Amino acid sequence: MADGGRHVDDLSASEQATLGARISKSQDSSATRTFVDELDTVDNVRRLLDQDQASVNRLVDWHANPGSYRNIDPDLEASDFVHVARNGDVSETRLMARGPDESGSFQVRWLENGDLDRGWTHIEARHIRGTQKIDEKDATSIFPTGKEVKGERMPNTISQNEVIDMTYDAIKRGTPTQQGQKTRYYFEPVDAGYPNSGIDDMQVLVLSDGTIETAYPNSGSAVKRWVPDLNDGQGGFVDTT
Amino acid sequence: MTSPNQHTNVKINFHYDKQYREHVSEGSPDRWIDMSLSAAGEDIYGGSRGVVTGSACVIVLDLLDSIEAIRSNDRGIITFDDGPSWLSIAKYDESTVEIAACHTLKGAKNPKNRLDISRTTVVTQQAWEEAVLEFSRKFSDKVTDINPSLSNHETIEQIREKVNTLIRSGE
């Protein structure tokens, strides 16, 4: 049985045993106990128990060391971490942040590796490497990370890690608007901490559960846009300023 | 730029492919979908040009908002997040609206900021409104045909209510 803890009495005997095992096997049992104590409901404790030990260790580590990990928001609370673990894949998470929705209420948002339709895999394929259906659809804009796209070297003003940094800052400091169940964050990197990025504005789209679906640059001196209709359908790049 | 043509000259279509249908069957109607649009006989998206892709429900709500915007002499902007691309809708004169396919958000908001390759077409306001309302109604019907349990989905209900409100307020 897990000793102490404000939620322990609300757990069944078997749940208490599982919790005790999680704590005793964790990398830092004291930090894990603190994490459990800070969870707001016993349901969140149960959700934590659904995670494997590696995920629990990761969540507790992030929570116990605020500010130590790039793009893991130090403002996150224990229940935010459990929300992400319940709705996403902690082992794939590249950023996690609390950002306001349109009403001003703060929600947890996170970026996973995802797939070609959403998450980092989508962002990298479509807006960094330009390999995702770039000729099959209307135009797209490319982050200036110096990659060669359609035979042309993109401007090299930011790194791929800085794309994630900007996505994090868009959630933290951008302007949210909501349409249906999705939230879009508008952010101006050049004027908000990335003066040499050549990205005037960008947007981040978040699904209703908080997962980041995509992020893309809108325009700027270093933002190129691939337009398939140009040059008699051969396609071509245009500047966006 | 083209001149206003007959009032029934705007066609908007979603391409309900297998992947999108599967998402709807699983209860998620607001996933990526391809859209084509023609106006005044010109392909704006799709047809002879590439289709444009965005979140289905977001596109429909943006389109409905564009009706509210032009009725208030404001500008409506439809965002296609899997471009990105933007469609800007604004009053051209008393009875017509300008449809502009834009390559930057700044260009969608202000014609002075548009890139040279942006395309514009003018159609009657009546044609735009009728096409959007019909398209939106068909969208909610299609989604609930695929997955009847989505008839109570928050966003589908929102779309249905907006359509009814816009029809009533336009009469």
Side-chain angles (χ1 to χ4, degrees):
Chain A
M1 176 174 163
D3 58 330
R6 65 175 173 137
H7 297 298
V8 169
D9 291 343
D10 297 322
L11 297 172
S12 68
S14 67
E15 288 170 336
Q16 289 183 25
T18 305
L19 177 60
R22 282 278 191 279
I23 291 173
S24 65
K25 291 178 182 174
S26 62
Q27 286 177 341
D28 184 336
S29 58
S30 172
T32 304
R33 193 171 288 110
T34 301
F35 186 94
V36 172
D37 280 350
E38 290 190 12
L39 288 173
D40 51 357
T41 66
V42 70
D43 281 344
N44 271 336
V45 178
R46 294 193 174 102
R47 287 165 190 159
L48 184 69
L49 296 180
D50 289 337
Q51 303 302 311
D52 60 30
Q53 190 68 53
S55 296
V56 172
N57 286 341
R58 188 180 299 238
L59 298 177
V60 169
D61 189 25
W62 283 337
H63 178 255
N65 299 287
S68 299
Y69 293 98
R70 187 171 181 165
N71 296 324
I72 302 296
D73 190 348
D75 294 336
L76 289 164
E77 297 171 358
S79 56
D80 294 326
F81 290 109
V82 172
H83 174 86
V84 175
R86 185 188 181 206
N87 293 283
D89 185 341
V90 174
S91 67
E92 285 195 349
T93 301
R94 289 172 173 262
L95 80 79
M96 208 185 295
R98 279 171 72 85
D101 60 18
E102 197 175 45
S103 69
S105 170
F106 280 76
Q107 312 288 339
V108 62
R109 298 2 186 139
W110 72 97
L111 176 65
E112 292 185 11
N113 286 340
D115 54 32
L116 286 172
D117 275 342
R118 64 177 174 179
W120 177 247
T121 302
H122 170 81
I123 294 167
E124 189 182 33
R126 185 154 175 86
H127 300 294
I128 292 178
R129 297 187 181 280
T131 53
Q132 168 65 0
K133 296 183 178 178
I134 194 165
D135 284 319
E136 296 173 28
K137 297 184 179 185
D138 194 50
T140 192
S141 49
I142 308 291
F143 280 110
T145 61
K147 295 286 185 294
E148 186 175 304
V149 179
K150 303 295 287 184
E152 184 168 329
R153 183 72 59 187
M154 295 294 101
N156 189 11
T157 56
I158 59 169
S159 67
Q160 288 193 198
N161 281 336
E162 284 173 310
V163 173
I164 301 176
D165 293 345
M166 287 179 184
T167 304
Y168 176 92
D169 281 329
I171 298 295
K172 292 293 289 180
R173 300 189 280 134
T175 304
T177 55
Q178 189 160 351
Q179 186 64 290
Q181 294 183 323
K182 293 191 178 182
T183 304
R184 190 182 290 121
Y185 290 85
Y186 178 78
F187 183 59
E188 297 181 330
V190 163
D191 293 332
Y194 302 90
N196 301 316
S197 65
I199 304 173
D200 290 345
D201 58 337
M202 64 176 286
Q203 295 189 120
V204 177
L205 191 68
V206 177
L207 299 172
S208 57
D209 67 0
T211 317
I212 293 172
E213 187 169 36
T214 187
Y216 52 79
N218 291 343
S219 59
S221 61
V223 177
K224 297 259 187 187
R225 188 168 169 81
W226 175 256
V227 183
D229 292 340
L230 291 181
N231 302 317
D232 295 326
Q234 298 299 304
F237 280 103
V238 295
D239 294 328
T240 56
T241 54
Chain B
M1 181 184 295
T2 59
S3 299
N5 207 325
Q6 56 186 358
H7 76 274
T8 54
N9 56 4
V10 177
K11 292 179 183 169
I12 311 170
N13 284 305
F14 272 161
H15 300 242
Y16 297 100
D17 60 15
K18 185 179 174 218
Q19 191 176 20
Y20 181 76
R21 286 168 182 269
E22 284 175 359
H23 286 311
V24 173
S25 296
E26 292 162 3
S28 304
D30 203 8
R31 300 303 292 269
W32 297 139
I33 196 166
D34 294 339
M35 193 189 99
S36 55
L37 167 67
S38 64
E42 285 192 21
D43 291 330
I44 296 175
Y45 300 123
S48 58
R49 302 181 183 278
V51 293
V52 72
T53 307
S55 303
C57 296
V58 170
I59 292 172
V60 174
L61 289 167
D62 280 354
L63 285 165
L64 291 168
D65 285 349
S66 79
I67 294 179
E68 285 182 335
I70 56 180
R71 286 181 184 176
S72 308
N73 285 318
D74 205 347
R75 182 180 298 280
I77 295 173
I78 295 94
T79 300
F80 303 97
D81 284 292
D82 196 29
S85 288
W86 296 268
L87 193 66
S88 179
I89 315 294
K91 287 281 266 189
Y92 184 68
D93 61 24
E94 191 59 33
S95 62
T96 61
V97 294
E98 181 191 76
I99 301 171
C102 300
H103 288 271
T104 63
L105 180 57
K106 289 177 181 175
K109 288 179 175 174
N110 185 345
K112 290 178 183 173
N113 294 329
R114 282 182 194 156
L115 304 184
D116 293 340
I117 58 171
S118 298
R119 303 183 301 275
T120 61
T121 305
V122 174
V123 297
T124 64
Q125 181 172 339
Q126 183 183 353
W128 178 254
E129 292 194 9
E130 287 179 355
V132 168
L133 291 169
E134 177 70 0
F135 168 73
S136 303
R137 190 186 57 73
K138 283 183 176 174
F139 169 73
S140 65
D141 288 349
K142 185 76 175 181
V143 165
T144 51
D145 278 350
I146 297 171
N147 185 346
S149 73
L150 290 177
S151 60
N152 297 323
H153 187 276
E154 184 182 334
T155 308
I156 299 302
E157 280 191 342
Q158 186 184 356
I159 288 169
R160 214 179 289 128
E161 284 170 15
K162 263 184 186 277
V163 168
N164 291 335
T165 301
L166 286 165
I167 288 172
R168 281 196 301 272
S169 61
E171 287 173 347

